[in-house]
Amino acid sequence: MRLVSHPVLCNYYVTYRCNAACSFCDIWERPSPYITLDEAKANLAALKRLGVKVVDFTGGEPLLHRQLDELLKECKRLGLLTTITTNCLLYPKYANRLRGLVDMLHFSLDSPEREEHDLSRGVKCFDKVMESIHLAKSLGERPDILFTVFESNIHQIEKVWQEICKPHGLVLILNPVFEYNKVGSQLSPAALQQLRQWGKKSNVYLNDAFIQLRLDGGNHTDSPICLAGSTTIVISPENKLVLPCYHLGLKEFAIENNLYELYLSDEVQKLIALEGRLPACEGCAINCYMQPSFAVTINKYWWKALPSTLKYNRIKGTWKQLF
């Protein structure tokens, strides 16, 4: 049973540029402009009208956008929830400007060991993460630690939880690595079961539906779970609507101050209708599209996702804003 028929999330790529070179990502390799403030404001108004609740300003590294605080203020004016994930290289510089504007602020950290984390990121940023934690807390912010889990670092979850998250009262978000276009990797069934146990611990967030979907072999085109097209609006730095999702990106539509009409057009809606059914969708388990997909249709994945969703929103206090 479908609970929500409108899009609930926007993945807004403010730029594809990045000041790191993570081994499990290829977005930073793409040439890219930055979104303009005028175009973004028009799009945010259209997103609100379409029923979107959450805007994820992403990239690349979103803090490279020098007007990010203005974009966040516009979201606040419209009553939209915001989320940002950063490698923290620029957070100390812009922390005061971002104060109070980000509902879900995520600091990326993939190892409690400085050398290992910096190696995976292709740049020295471990110390900036530690500095950013202290700075954010001093400003009254409540950042989360986003830990991308690989077979090679799953044993380090304990140390991150005990030595970094718990002393600072931070939520640990476990983000199982996914594979796309020969980038990233997969996790073994044993690792998935280990993650499932971690998801039960206090102040640890792991969407258990992620685990179940992977154990089930990912999305299947004959009975799709992925609803990326109808739940998530993807906007590129070139001000284009990307469908059916960023990672597949079959078609891009220029947004000419008409996002609302464009999204509801027959051409776009026909492509959305193919969500989860395209050949490239077979076996897909990309977290950023499955999360909203699990939230809008009552099925076994909805029930698997519910406890962790309630847990996180209770901790962050965002539940009332979502509904």
Side-chain angles (χ1 to χ4, degrees):
M1 182 174 69
R2 184 82 182 238
L3 297 173
V4 178
S5 58
H6 58 76
V8 295
L9 170 69
C10 174
N11 288 338
Y12 209 137
Y13 287 84
V14 298
T15 184
Y16 294 139
R17 299 184 188 189
C18 192
N19 48 7
C22 301
S23 59
F24 51 90
C25 174
D26 66 351
I27 297 174
W28 56 271
E29 298 177 2
R30 298 182 60 173
S32 172
Y34 294 92
I35 65 172
T36 70
L37 191 57
D38 288 342
E39 288 174 341
K41 285 185 174 181
N43 290 339
L44 291 171
L47 292 171
K48 176 73 173 181
R49 190 178 173 193
L50 287 166
V52 167
K53 299 290 186 181
V54 180
V55 179
D56 177 21
F57 288 115
T58 187
E61 168 55 48
L63 269 62
L64 284 171
H65 198 293
R66 295 182 180 180
Q67 294 175 301
L68 185 59
D69 58 322
E70 295 298 321
L71 300 173
L72 292 165
K73 288 175 184 176
E74 184 66 11
C75 285
K76 286 293 183 184
R77 189 185 71 81
L78 293 169
L80 296 167
L81 287 169
T82 56
T83 176
I84 284 175
T85 301
T86 175
N87 58 33
C88 292
L89 284 170
L90 290 172
Y91 182 77
K93 181 178 180 179
Y94 294 118
N96 282 292
R97 286 170 56 180
L98 301 177
R99 184 180 185 181
L101 298 177
V102 187
D103 296 292
M104 290 164 278
L105 176 62
H106 306 323
F107 293 164
S108 290
L109 182 70
D110 304 325
S111 171
E113 307 298 335
R114 177 183 292 103
E115 294 77 12
E116 289 185 16
H117 177 73
D118 291 349
L119 180 63
S120 73
R121 295 283 164 166
V123 65
K124 293 181 179 180
C125 56
F126 180 88
D127 289 342
K128 285 293 184 180
V129 176
M130 297 300 108
E131 179 186 353
S132 295
I133 290 172
H134 291 283
L135 177 55
K137 290 198 65 181
S138 74
L139 295 174
E141 301 285 71
R142 300 171 61 202
D144 304 322
I145 296 300
L146 182 67
F147 187 95
T148 300
V149 183
F150 305 85
E151 292 282 344
S152 60
N153 70 354
I154 193 169
H155 66 285
Q156 296 179 323
I157 295 175
E158 176 78 31
K159 189 171 183 179
V160 171
W161 184 56
Q162 292 284 5
E163 298 184 10
I164 297 175
C165 293
K166 290 179 74 174
H168 296 288
L170 307 180
V171 174
L172 175 60
I173 299 177
L174 297 179
N175 178 46
V177 65
F178 55 81
E179 187 175 23
Y180 71 97
N181 298 334
K182 298 181 180 180
V183 179
S185 59
Q186 298 182 0
L187 294 169
S188 67
L192 293 173
Q193 293 295 356
Q194 190 175 344
L195 283 180
R196 176 164 274 171
Q197 295 305 309
W198 268 108
K200 299 176 182 179
K201 295 185 181 292
S202 63
N203 272 30
V204 176
Y205 171 77
L206 171 69
N207 192 325
D208 194 50
F210 289 164
I211 306 302
Q212 189 61 53
L213 181 67
R214 289 164 188 245
L215 293 172
D216 292 343
N219 179 76
H220 296 297
T221 55
D222 59 345
S223 181
I225 297 301
C226 180
L227 302 172
S230 60
T231 62
T232 306
I233 292 178
V234 180
I235 302 177
S236 76
E238 297 88 359
N239 200 36
K240 294 180 179 179
L241 178 66
V242 182
L243 285 166
C245 66
Y246 166 81
H247 294 83
L248 191 53
L250 287 182
K251 194 160 186 180
E252 297 182 349
F253 299 84
I255 301 172
E256 299 173 349
N257 201 27
N258 68 336
L259 177 59
Y260 182 84
E261 294 79 9
L262 175 63
Y263 182 81
L264 296 178
S265 67
D266 288 344
E267 187 176 8
V268 167
Q269 289 299 310
K270 286 178 181 178
L271 189 51
I272 288 175
L274 297 175
E275 60 186 1
R277 300 181 184 277
L278 296 161
C281 300
E282 181 64 32
C284 178
I286 297 177
N287 304 333
C288 38
Y289 304 111
M290 297 305 171
Q291 179 101 9
S293 298
F294 298 150
V296 299
T297 301
I298 295 183
N299 52 30
K300 73 173 183 178
Y301 298 106
W302 187 88
W303 288 107
K304 285 285 185 182
L306 183 61
S308 56
T309 302
L310 291 172
K311 177 182 177 182
Y312 181 78
N313 285 284
R314 174 182 57 79
I315 296 170
K316 304 301 289 186
T318 54
W319 187 256
K320 291 183 179 178
Q321 293 171 268
L322 285 168
F323 295 95

